[in-house]
Amino acid sequence: MAKAHTAEADAVEADAVETDAVEQTGIRRAIRACSRPEPWKRGLVLAALALLLGLLMLLHAQFTDRGGLGSLLETFLPWFGLFVPVLLAGALWRRSASAVLALLIPAVVWLGLFGGLLVDKSHPSGSDLTVASHNVDADNPDPVGTARELAASGADLLALEEITPQAKPLYEKELAKAYPHHTVQGTVGLWSKLPLSDTRPVDTGQDVGPLGDTKPTEDKMADNRALRTTVATDRGPLAVYVAHLGSVRVLPKSGFGTDDRNRGVQALAKAVAAERNERMVLLGDLNGTMDDRAFTGLTSHLRSAQESAGDGFGFSWPARFPVARIDQILVRGVEPDSSWVLPATGSDHRPVAAGIRW
């Protein structure tokens, strides 16, 4: 028995020695491979592209905004992270140590910019009020169905943008039971389960120049794209703004056209800065992401519910395959508990919602 035990122990020891030898051999091979000049010389173009990608994301705010290029870059900035695995695949195929090492820079920069959005920060159990916003689309083929879906969401406050004169009575009829209080100012409206007061349109600079100055008030109101109202809550008054800023377009001659949108951002930021109520919520289709430098005036006074209490990026447009969050819920003086995107309706946008508490 002793001899058998000794033989078995010798075999185990031999296996261990052999395993150590294999591991040491593998380590030596890896060290030799990395110490050779070839892996570091290969894939230098990939390494350069990785460095440029990292610098582009890190210094995006310094990028020129001529032709709206900076805003366009920042609108789709999260998607630049997809280039990292693409370049990594190329680096591994080329067996380029320099490219793999260089890719650490864009990977770290992307995680620094957007890594926090990958964590679920919601606390849905403590909300005092649920708010929602939806660009219902002027060409929505089923406004009645959209209204019913939104009413079923259970939101206490429901902001709608891009309301047409033809669709307005349909929304009013379908939402009347769930929301006894509402106001429509031009193409934007707010439906509420709580009383509203001190309601007025907000000028977002849509009519500018000599022609805008001569435009009759009733014509301006028909196209009005923002409102302000006060919601009476058990915790005190809450100022609510609903806005639909100018659209942006990529045009061959002028580039990323943001002039109308940017003018609206500045006007809205001015109105928000002058708001006396310390508690406020801004709901609407702002036609831009909060990474866009054009929104600095707004984000200096308000914070994004999605960034504070969301789970993921919360992309809302286009509805079929969302690639950007241009529908926003911004707050001041209240705490966002949760933020999410509602299912698609007949619109080309998806509705967004958030829970807030005092």
Side-chain angles (χ1 to χ4, degrees):
M1 291 292 292
K3 290 182 179 180
H5 179 73
T6 302
E8 183 177 342
D10 291 343
V12 171
E13 184 177 355
D15 288 342
V17 170
E18 184 178 353
T19 300
D20 290 342
V22 170
E23 290 179 352
Q24 291 176 6
T25 301
I27 293 173
R28 285 196 295 270
R29 286 177 179 174
I31 293 174
R32 284 198 301 268
C34 291
S35 62
R36 293 171 184 170
E38 290 82 4
W40 297 98
K41 289 182 179 180
R42 287 196 294 263
L44 294 181
V45 172
L46 291 171
L49 290 174
L51 292 174
L52 287 174
L53 178 62
L55 290 174
L56 184 64
M57 291 191 291
L58 181 64
L59 304 175
H60 64 88
Q62 312 305 320
F63 203 76
T64 180
D65 200 32
R66 181 176 298 177
L69 199 56
S71 287
L72 181 62
L73 165 66
E74 289 162 340
T75 296
F76 299 103
L77 194 60
W79 292 95
F80 279 72
L82 293 179
F83 289 110
V84 173
V86 172
L87 291 174
L88 178 60
L92 294 176
W93 180 69
R94 291 282 292 139
R95 298 181 181 179
S96 170
S98 57
V100 170
L101 185 63
L103 278 168
L104 289 175
I105 296 176
V108 170
V109 171
W110 190 92
L111 287 173
L113 291 172
F114 305 110
L117 294 174
L118 303 179
V119 180
D120 186 357
K121 301 177 289 298
S122 63
H123 306 283
S125 59
S127 301
D128 293 319
L129 206 65
T130 300
V131 300
S133 177
H134 189 29
N135 179 326
V136 292
D137 186 6
D139 297 321
N140 191 325
D142 185 19
V144 172
T146 295
R148 290 174 180 171
E149 291 179 49
L150 293 173
S153 70
D156 300 294
L157 302 178
L158 176 60
L160 302 186
E161 304 89 46
E162 212 165 291
I163 303 171
T164 64
Q166 296 77 18
K168 177 185 172 184
L170 300 176
Y171 289 118
E172 290 176 327
K173 179 181 179 181
E174 292 299 326
L175 296 173
K177 184 177 180 179
Y179 300 95
H181 311 279
H182 88 281
T183 178
V184 175
Q185 303 287 320
T187 63
V188 296
L190 181 71
W191 276 257
S192 173
K193 295 181 179 180
L194 303 170
L196 305 176
S197 63
D198 193 19
T199 301
R200 59 180 182 270
V202 175
D203 183 10
T204 55
Q206 293 297 310
D207 297 301
V208 295
L211 292 178
D213 294 338
T214 59
K215 193 174 182 180
T217 303
E218 58 272 18
D219 291 345
K220 290 183 179 181
M221 266 306 301
D223 297 325
N224 180 68
R225 297 175 71 137
L227 66 83
R228 185 262 183 220
T229 190
T230 299
V231 178
T233 77
D234 294 339
R235 301 297 186 89
L238 174 70
V240 177
Y241 286 72
V242 180
H244 180 200
L245 299 184
S247 299
V248 295
R249 298 284 187 272
V250 179
L251 303 172
K253 292 184 178 180
S254 57
F256 192 49
T258 59
D259 290 346
D260 290 346
R261 194 275 313 270
N262 291 353
R263 189 166 57 248
V265 172
Q266 294 169 7
L268 194 56
K270 185 177 180 180
V272 167
E275 174 58 51
R276 295 184 178 182
N277 194 330
E278 64 178 19
R279 297 188 181 96
M280 68 162 295
V281 175
L282 168 60
L283 307 162
D285 172 11
L286 303 188
N287 271 307
T289 72
M290 293 302 97
D291 295 312
D292 192 326
R293 67 192 70 184
F295 290 89
T296 303
L298 270 182
T299 54
S300 63
H301 297 286
L302 305 169
R303 57 188 176 127
S304 166
Q306 181 66 25
E307 293 180 5
S308 300
D311 180 13
F313 291 93
F315 294 149
S316 62
W317 177 90
R320 290 187 177 181
F321 185 80
V323 297
R325 184 181 178 89
I326 63 175
D327 301 276
Q328 307 293 346
I329 299 176
L330 308 179
V331 303
R332 182 185 77 190
V334 293
E335 288 295 323
D337 269 335
S338 54
S339 179
W340 63 98
V341 179
L342 293 168
T345 68
S347 171
D348 58 342
H349 291 242
R350 291 194 182 186
V352 295
I356 61 173
R357 62 179 172 84
W358 272 247

